[in-house]
Amino acid sequence: MMSGNALRDLNTLPASERKNDSSSKGNFTKNCNGNTIENVQELQKKNPSSVCINGGETVNAAVEVANLEVEYIESENLGDLEDVNTCLEKLLPGLESKDWVLVVETLNNVRRLSIFHREEMHSMLGDLIPLVVKSLKNPRSAVCKTAIMTSADIFSAYNDDLIEFLDPLLVQLLLKSSQDKRFVCEAAERALEVMTTSVFPMSLLPKLQPYLKNRNPRIRAKASMCFSRSVPRLGVEGIQEYGIDKLIQVAASQLSDQLPESREAARTLLLELQTVYEKSNGLSTTIPEQPEMNSWEHFCQSKLSPLSAQAVLRVTNIAREGLVIGS
């Protein structure tokens, strides 16, 4: 069951994010009068009102801090940590900090620990995930996107161990993948893809299913895409165990959804279910003149309303006719 906070998050899209955050580059550094500022906190401590010469212009250091750019490091480019124990001790305080630069640095350390030291961080997941979720909600794009990338690395590292903590992460990633800021949206979509390839679908599909009926059409579309990607990972036996009748009803409900992404995900899922059903029942892929009792047509008509069955058969028959013609 979703928590009240999760439902509130889903029903309220985030406000527009601040525009002065960079979408791609930098490294918490900025050339200032020929020198490189590598630690924002040190700059602020030394003289919050000092000035720097940047490109011939005199600017206030506070402005300089606000305009720092952030480097988003891909997982494969992250290096290992020198002092794992010290890093582990500083994780929770770092993520709780009000200094956004420190939060981003700490999130990247969470990513490194996920990649190189997953066992050492495993016991902290219960305390860690809520703070990652807090960063996902952060209005500053640098923090939000780094938290999204952190979520993806956590999915890759811990797989099904995240099931009990998954709901708040899933809510935020669906929200972020449905917003207008493109580089945040794309990062969230990648994180959702990692989730669907990392978490066992038998556990993931029940988590996704409620979002297929969310009142926000973008949320429904992203959830539909995740659902469609997850089902094939069940395999033939897994699909039968989960219930092909349940799955066809889910797919049929998405065929008439508002957004094309939902409808396309439904079509993809239906073709997968048709293939599994016909293989399981030893059926031919040709279109019979009269539906047999165990045929795909009969199965659809027995599990769906007449209109839904007609829509499903239209989709699957068109695809099958195309295969026959092309063979």
Side-chain angles (χ1 to χ4, degrees):
M1 297 293 292
M2 287 182 289
S3 68
N5 288 337
L7 285 169
R8 282 195 298 273
D9 286 337
L10 270 174
N11 290 329
T12 307
L13 278 174
S16 352
E17 298 185 348
R18 294 173 63 169
K19 302 295 184 181
N20 62 350
D21 291 315
S22 169
S23 63
S24 60
K25 53 187 178 180
N27 191 25
F28 295 128
T29 63
K30 196 80 169 180
N31 288 332
C32 181
N33 198 23
N35 299 316
T36 301
I37 302 170
E38 296 182 341
N39 191 316
V40 176
Q41 291 174 299
E42 287 302 312
L43 171 66
Q44 291 173 313
K45 288 177 182 177
K46 287 178 181 178
N47 191 349
S49 61
S50 63
V51 294
C52 299
I53 306 300
N54 186 19
E57 295 183 12
T58 301
V59 295
N60 188 284
V63 176
E64 199 71 13
V65 169
N67 289 329
L68 288 177
E69 294 177 334
V70 176
E71 181 180 17
Y72 302 110
I73 309 169
E74 297 301 324
S75 301
E76 58 270 22
N77 296 327
L78 284 166
D80 199 354
L81 294 156
E82 294 182 2
D83 189 341
V84 176
N85 290 331
T86 300
C87 183
L88 285 167
E89 292 173 1
K90 293 182 177 180
L91 276 190
L92 300 184
L95 292 176
E96 291 174 334
S97 173
K98 295 182 179 180
D99 176 2
W100 71 271
V101 175
L102 179 58
V103 173
V104 171
E105 291 173 345
T106 307
L107 285 168
N108 279 327
N109 284 338
V110 172
R111 300 175 65 202
R112 292 182 177 95
L113 288 163
S114 298
I115 295 168
F116 298 106
H117 305 281
R118 63 181 302 276
E119 292 300 331
E120 288 89 333
M121 197 172 67
H122 189 282
S123 63
M124 299 177 65
L125 288 177
D127 296 320
L128 191 68
I129 298 301
L131 295 176
V132 174
V133 171
K134 179 182 177 182
S135 293
L136 286 169
K137 296 178 181 180
N138 194 295
R140 186 179 288 275
S141 299
V143 177
C144 177
K145 181 173 178 179
T146 307
I148 292 171
M149 298 173 78
T150 303
S151 301
D153 288 326
I154 290 175
F155 286 137
S156 294
Y158 296 103
N159 310 122
D160 289 353
D161 290 349
L162 287 175
I163 281 297
E164 62 178 302
F165 313 115
L166 184 62
D167 283 327
L169 282 174
L170 181 55
V171 168
Q172 290 304 314
L173 290 174
L174 287 171
L175 281 170
K176 299 304 176 185
S177 69
S178 306
Q179 69 166 12
D180 293 328
K181 182 164 277 192
R182 182 176 175 182
F183 78 100
V184 172
C185 175
E186 290 175 347
E189 287 177 342
R190 287 193 294 271
L192 288 171
E193 288 176 9
V194 174
M195 178 191 70
T196 57
T197 58
S198 300
V199 180
F200 185 51
M202 196 66 76
S203 303
L204 179 60
L205 292 176
K207 299 283 187 182
L208 286 168
Q209 198 159 343
Y211 302 113
L212 299 175
K213 298 180 180 180
N214 188 264
R215 68 184 188 184
N216 185 324
R218 291 187 180 184
I219 296 290
R220 295 199 302 270
K222 302 304 180 182
S224 295
M225 293 165 71
C226 291
F227 199 93
S228 177
R229 283 196 300 264
S230 296
V231 169
R233 295 186 61 239
L234 285 169
V236 174
E237 292 183 2
I239 288 175
Q240 291 173 332
E241 181 183 348
Y242 191 89
I244 193 168
D245 53 337
K246 295 178 183 177
L247 292 170
I248 192 176
Q249 289 167 5
V250 170
S253 69
Q254 299 300 301
L255 268 183
S256 58
D257 200 72
Q258 179 178 344
L259 293 182
E261 293 90 345
S262 292
R263 300 194 295 271
E264 182 58 34
R267 286 191 285 267
T268 301
L269 177 54
L270 285 168
L271 293 175
E272 176 71 22
L273 295 177
Q274 179 190 26
T275 300
V276 169
Y277 181 84
E278 292 181 340
K279 283 183 178 179
S280 301
N281 290 276
L283 299 175
S284 169
T285 56
T286 58
I287 304 174
E289 292 183 6
Q290 295 294 329
E292 300 176 4
M293 288 301 293
N294 66 338
S295 68
W296 171 249
E297 285 79 5
H298 183 270
F299 175 72
C300 292
Q301 291 164 357
S302 66
K303 299 298 180 182
L304 301 169
S305 69
L307 284 177
S308 292
Q310 184 180 13
V312 167
L313 291 173
R314 185 185 303 115
V315 168
T316 54
N317 286 342
I318 288 174
R320 189 160 52 183
E321 287 172 351
L323 289 174
V324 171
I325 293 172
S327 61

